[in-house]
Amino acid sequence: MASISTAGEAVARIAYLSSDVVLSVQPALASDSDFSKHLHSYAAKRLPSLVAKDLPEVTSVRYNVDPLLSAFQPLRSGKLVSVTTSSTTLLPSIPHLYKLAQYPVVLHVSLHTINYPDYSEITAIRQCGFTFLQSETLQEAQDLALSAHALAVKSGKGVIHFFDPANSKDDAPIDIEDRELAAKILDVESPRAMQGTQDEGSFLYVDDGRRAATVTGGASSPHDGRSETEAVKKTASTGASKSPNREASSVGSSVRESSADSRPTVSSATSMESLTTRPVTSEDISEYLSAIWSQIEKFTGRRYQAFEYTGPEDALSALFVFGSTGLFVDALGAADASEEFAKFGLVTARLYRPWIGPRLAEALPPSVRRIAVLEQIRRKTTKWGPVLLDILTSLRGGSSATGAPQIVGHQLGYIEPATARQALRGIFQNLNSPKPIQNLEVGSREEPRPSLDQYNLAQPKVESAYMKILDQVFGERLYVANRLDAANAGISATIAASPEFGFGSLLARSDHRRRFIGEVKDAAATRDFTTDVPQSWLSKWAMHAEDPKHVNAIAPEIIARLSNDGSSLASTLLESKALFFKESQWLIGSDAWAYDLGNSGVHHVIASGANVNMLILDTQPWSERAAADAVRRKKDIGLYAMNFGNAYVASVAVYSSYTQVLEAMIEADEFNGPSVVVAYLPYNKEDDSSLTVLQETKKAVDLGYWPLYRWNPNNEDGGEPNFSLDSERIKQELEEFLRRDNHLTQLMNRHPRFAANLSESYGTEVRALQKRKAKDAYNTLLDSLYGAPMTILFASDNGNAESLAKRLGNRGKARGLKTMVMAMDDYPLEDLQTEENVILITSTAGQGEFPQNGRAFWDAVKDTTELDLSQIKYAVFALGDSHYWPRKEDKIYYNKPGKDLDARIAFLGGKKLADVGLGDDQDPDSYQTGYGEWEPKLWQALGVDKVEGLPEEPPPITNEDIKIQSNFLRGTIAEGLEDTSTGAISASDQQLTKFHGTYMQDDRDLRDERKAQGLEPAYAFMIRCRLNGGVATPSQWLQMDSVSSSYGNETMKLTTRQTFQFHGVVKSRLKSAMRGINKALMTTIAACGDVNRNVMLSPLPTRSAFHRDVHQVSAKISDHLLPSTSAYHEIWLKDNASDEKQTKVAGDAVVDKEPLYGPTYLPRKFKITIAVPPHNDTDVYAHDIGLIAIKNASDNRLEGFNVLVGGGMGVTHNNKKTYPRTGSMLGYFPASKIHLVCEKVMLVQRDHGDRSNRKHARLKYTIDDMGVDVFRGKVEELLEAKFEQPRPFEFKSNIDTFGWQKDEEGLNHFLMFIENGRVEDTAEFPMKTGLREIAKVHKGDFRLTPNQHLCLSGVRDEDLDTIKGMLKKYKLDNLHFSALRLSSSACVAFPTCGLAMAESERYLPELITKLEKCLEENGLRQDSIVMRMTGCPNGCARPWLAEVAFVGKAYGAYNMYLGGGYHGQRLNKLYRSSIGEEEILGIMKGLLR
């Protein structure tokens, strides 16, 4: 049989088995308590409960967020609730304990601190109405935990079971509980009678009259369990209000306060007998508990009483210990007969409340004449201890007082095990002295320990972002009054971190500064300084002491002058040097402050009108808001503060808008009055990744749960609106506030585009209405048609299943069927059972998952027990790939959604029209092979297989059709941009905008939530610039920075093709963003699409003249191959209201024809790169054309190029017809004609590339189909010249060379690390700000590298110190990273790339962090290993050339490749397929050892 070794485990098991809900109160969500690890283990193993109808619900709650509030809702819903907590939570929870005492809730309390717990946390709440049980040993912890639950159900009252975990730490393990015994003790039928009983009480702090009661009278037993349960229900709902306010029970009081209940009772008459309902008394509790303990004794032989006595039956002296007894038990047990204390008896209370005095007298031997009472109470508030008074009352309060034993109180302190015998000896001597000393202290008053609290308060790492921003913004003048690391003598960290303490501290600080100003004025008038210099500076300072700008500017200088002076007066002033600054004073708090604003201190700060800033962090994730306990009543602090009218208020989220956080903090500091900045930082556990926080933040902000805004009452004075909305949605409560003061109308007038979002509330009911309207619209269309109905529902991620469904619908119509085609999630599920013929078509996503637009449908079908489909006929077709998951154990994922759906519909009664069809991408015709066999069976089953005269189906529209019909890339883009009804553009225009340098995307982090809210996806556009060679001027950098902040998501992506990329540009801002880019004399045309794209070039000019020659050639190639259409100019730049000449595209004038490309352009994308040996940092082998620059040996200038063709990275998983390829050598060609070589290679591809199959359309396939020699011949034929033999060259690496380099012309170049190319500001690293400031003074270039880093190029020696200083200031000079991290790169992937199957940019840094310890252990930190990651097999980060690569297969699963050449010349090979993080780390750590 399994065993238990700790009291926490024993109690956790009983709590889990005996409850519907277990609240696990923890120091932090990521840190375990004595109980939580076990509770979560049972929940994970789905351990069955003895009483719960389903599995018990284990809920983790942080100890400092008023955790007992979470007990009310489940209790009032009729659930059995237990709480596992430390004693730290008890005193702050006193307001709740008095009400909870009237519910059958059990609190298991672990006393802390370890080895020396403070029992005053128990005595302080002894009058709260709970029953208190105390256990000491491991076995007692198990038995009394069970007793507590049985007693709570029996009595209907709350029970607190408390224990010192250290007391039993050395006990031998015990067996797990006997389930049969536990079931009998709990009397499981009684809990079930209570479960589901609703209590209508809704108050938290006001007495709503609920009283635990019992029923007596007539022939019934006065303690019939069922009757008592019913009585509890009845009095809670109907009869309780008739009871007097003061309960006639001694529960929670000493015996002197209790006797028989003498008040009138509430009664009801029946035809049989009279029953009486009365409150449960202390005698009832004693009787119930005796019965429970009798059962335990009967089954186990273990005997329990209200007071336990151990020791000689003829003892003259006894110890009554209210504290940790373990040391005394051991010492007494080991004592020999000669010891003075050998005949001591030991008494402890098993039942502490109600205190049953007569039971104590019964427990003591008659021989006992002296009792030493030991109370382990550190927070002593009265002269006499509470337990001492209880014992005195019990043993000396009767008529036989003359015969009562002598009672002497002692204060029990911390005792080392080695001194326990000595302590007993001292107690014995005091007890037996003629005049014993009362309240004698035994042991040390304080245990040597680090904290006054059980839990050391610490700011979770994830929350440090806002503190870092405060440090960045305010620097030395930042003062946080309740900073966790502040030294506050004698004050616990919990109190010191509270708003009350912090507010008081700030008031004291303000008084201190006022005194300091006086001291400075006095000092300025003296001559006690060593020199006269400080006096003049102090005088200047004193004149403007309250002017922040003035004093903060001169404070550093004053401090420096005083430091140099060296006088005693100067030293005295420097002791308070922080006060020379006009401090930015802040209080930092959590959302725990929001549960009771009146008691938390927040109200006092706002109401005071004092100039105090509060930063309050809210950490509740958006995904948990629906499950949040409504009774907890967390307040909207921002709204609360705005209603005061005197406070600055801002709602911010650092993972949504860093810039807005900065603005809010600066404005709050400048506001003269209280300021409240409520800051969102959602996490489930304190060690959550930044990715989790980011995703939760985006959902909350996008859907209005956490609106971003700023409220400044002072704005009215300047004619500005008080309210500034910085996000597009607001929640209902804020909307009502704004409507009341007419602010919403003003806001909607100022921002018409927000009007629909601001004035409507979204929810699941809206979504349901949309489904219903769509279905009804279809039915209206079908009413006029004849034939059998056929409803086709699809779930599709990549469009194949949707295309099949629509084609099947058209074919059904042609055969006379009334067809309706909808996405599964758009269909109202309740109508499914009314259909006649249902066809379901689904593709396979991830690891056998449903596509996104079918998940809700499947979840509903899977979980329903009410759907009767016996009247429908159905068929299922599934699309998948039998080789996608090659491991044997993963074969179940093949077409799993379709198979599961087929089985479930059949289970619900559906009748099959045809067996499930399986489309396999591995078949010759892909999924069409299986579909071609399945569709005829469907028509046959429907009786429409013999229809004649079917119309010929038009061929599907291809990209080639879209291009040729687009009128040279115009399409309907201009019209789509004007359509304000949607954030999207048409499907054909989505293909065409790629040629203009922009992709339409949507935020995949938000898809599910927006869909649930009835909203379209969060559409936005990615814009990619065309930046030849990756070179930008400082003014261009500044303009790109401005574009990203004004129109995008405030970040820039430096891509693996050496250009800028912007994300999050909504359609309404797209044209403005394009014009902003053009303003910098840059363009986006041909940055994407079936054209030649950005020409890449090695960025680091170690040989300046040679590099300049190569750059000129790259520019010539880029301009030569640029498309000529004027559509770009017309759509994005032309302004009909002004002269067209003012909006010219940078470069030559454009004409409306395509001499190189023709109307259909190229079959697929075309990429050119140039490498400058010895650096292959452009991965020259990976592109359609790779040019290797060859230097003239005599003058070190450019001579020509070796030409590679046919490289390419994109593949499709498990499609062997697609593959990565390195370029083939054509030969050498002189530099003067190389642009023509590129043109002719491109023209051969234009005329011979495969336009019928885009997966076979890249140049690499054309060359393999044609052969390298034939291809070379065709190029030479167009060139009318031959390639020469390739010239010798050598590559040494394909990574970047970081740090400072000097070229032969004396110019300096610094290559800095930009992880995965993401330029952004974060709390830890203000990178974007730093680069912006550098661009304002830099006189050279910014060079983007193909590995996504940045080179600050062309720094002259005279500017070197300035640039180095700025790099240091903004941490941009930091290169102290592992070589693995420096050599890594990743594509964007989630959340914006529509092709992504897994994370990449957001995950790779985390993966590397987990590998770096292993690198250091094996001495490999400085060894470069090229590691790359992509979210899909398209290969944007060129993973196939990396030494180690991870290519996304499904969310959280990757294919692992090994063996790429370090010089980028050799492809890697598949090593493992479809592995997750655990396997990745295991493999990598093995390889690195």
Side-chain angles (χ1 to χ4, degrees), residues 318 406 418 520 599 1045 1177 1273:
Q406 183 180 17
V520 171
N599 288 335
S1045 298
D1177 44 10

Side-chain angles (χ1 to χ4, degrees), residues 9 82 93 128 146 149 224 281 317 341 385 391 431-432 556 760-761 857 884 1029 1065 1154 1170 1217 1250 1333 1394:
E9 181 181 4
S82 61
S93 300
C128 69
L146 184 60
H149 284 277
D224 177 81
T281 66
S317 302
F341 52 81
I391 294 175
L431 185 63
N432 287 279
E760 296 180 25
S761 297
F857 177 89
Y884 198 80
V1065 182
E1154 292 291 3
I1170 305 174
K1217 295 178 181 179
D1250 188 348
E1333 295 305 310

Side-chain angles (χ1 to χ4, degrees), residues 90 165 341 378 483 553 615 641 646 954 961 1136 1218 1261 1268 1377 1471:
L90 295 179
F341 52 81
R378 294 208 304 273
R483 187 186 290 268
L615 175 67
N646 69 332
D961 298 324
N1136 294 328
T1218 65
Y1261 301 117
V1268 175
F1377 301 98
Y1471 181 72

Side-chain angles (χ1 to χ4, degrees), residues 584-841:
S584 181
Q585 298 181 333
W586 291 81
L587 293 173
I588 313 295
S590 71
D591 52 0
W593 291 7
Y595 292 108
D596 186 350
L597 296 175
N599 288 335
S600 70
V602 173
H603 166 84
H604 303 89
V605 175
I606 299 173
S608 72
N611 189 12
V612 174
N613 305 309
M614 285 191 291
L615 175 67
I616 301 175
L617 275 61
D618 192 304
T619 59
Q620 184 181 55
W622 152 257
S623 57
E624 288 186 2
R625 90 281 174 211
D629 184 352
V631 180
R632 291 182 63 84
R633 299 171 62 210
K634 187 165 79 172
K635 315 299 191 304
D636 186 327
I637 293 181
L639 190 58
Y640 182 81
M642 281 194 287
N643 274 290
F644 266 82
N646 69 332
Y648 173 90
V649 183
S651 175
V652 303
V654 68
Y655 280 84
S656 179
S657 176
Y658 177 89
T659 302
Q660 192 239 4
V661 176
L662 292 179
E663 291 173 343
M665 287 181 172
I666 293 169
E667 290 174 358
D669 179 62
E670 293 174 347
F671 184 79
N672 187 20
S675 298
V676 178
V677 178
V678 283
Y680 197 49
L681 201 78
Y683 56 82
N684 297 290
K685 290 187 175 181
E686 290 80 1
D687 56 0
D688 273 358
S689 68
S690 57
L691 174 56
T692 300
V693 179
L694 171 67
Q695 291 173 322
E696 289 290 346
T697 300
K698 289 168 64 177
K699 293 174 188 175
V701 173
D702 180 77
L703 296 171
Y705 171 76
W706 192 268
L708 305 184
Y709 63 83
R710 285 165 291 146
W711 167 272
N712 191 338
N714 288 350
N715 283 357
E716 281 183 341
D717 299 337
E720 294 291 323
N722 288 357
F723 186 81
S724 173
L725 181 65
D726 299 315
S727 61
E728 296 193 11
R729 280 195 172 76
I730 57 178
K731 55 186 174 181
Q732 184 178 358
E733 296 87 352
L734 181 56
E735 178 184 332
E736 290 172 355
F737 170 81
L738 293 171
R739 285 191 190 281
R740 187 175 67 237
D741 287 349
N742 202 34
H743 294 291
L744 185 64
T745 303
Q746 297 173 19
L747 184 66
M748 291 167 62
N749 289 338
R750 290 202 311 277
H751 302 290
R753 67 182 182 278
F754 292 168
N757 295 338
L758 298 176
S759 59
E760 296 180 25
S761 297
Y762 297 95
T764 53
E765 63 280 358
V766 175
R767 181 71 177 144
L769 183 61
Q770 290 174 339
K771 291 181 181 182
R772 171 58 53 210
K773 286 183 176 179
K775 175 78 181 330
D776 290 347
Y778 255 117
N779 289 338
T780 302
L781 278 173
L782 296 177
D783 281 344
S784 59
L785 301 178
Y786 298 94
M790 181 172 73
T791 299
I792 304 170
L793 305 178
F794 65 84
S796 179
D797 265 346
N798 60 11
N800 289 336
E802 181 176 0
S803 297
L804 274 186
K806 290 178 178 178
R807 189 177 74 183
L808 182 65
N810 290 333
R811 290 178 176 178
K813 288 177 184 177
R815 294 170 183 269
L817 300 175
K818 293 164 51 173
T819 63
M820 178 176 69
V821 182
M822 298 180 74
M824 291 182 186
D825 279 2
D826 291 337
Y827 180 84
L829 185 63
E830 64 272 15
D831 285 3
L832 189 59
Q833 58 195 5
T834 67
E835 301 288 355
E836 186 173 332
N837 301 301
V838 180
I839 314 301
L840 303 119
I841 301 177

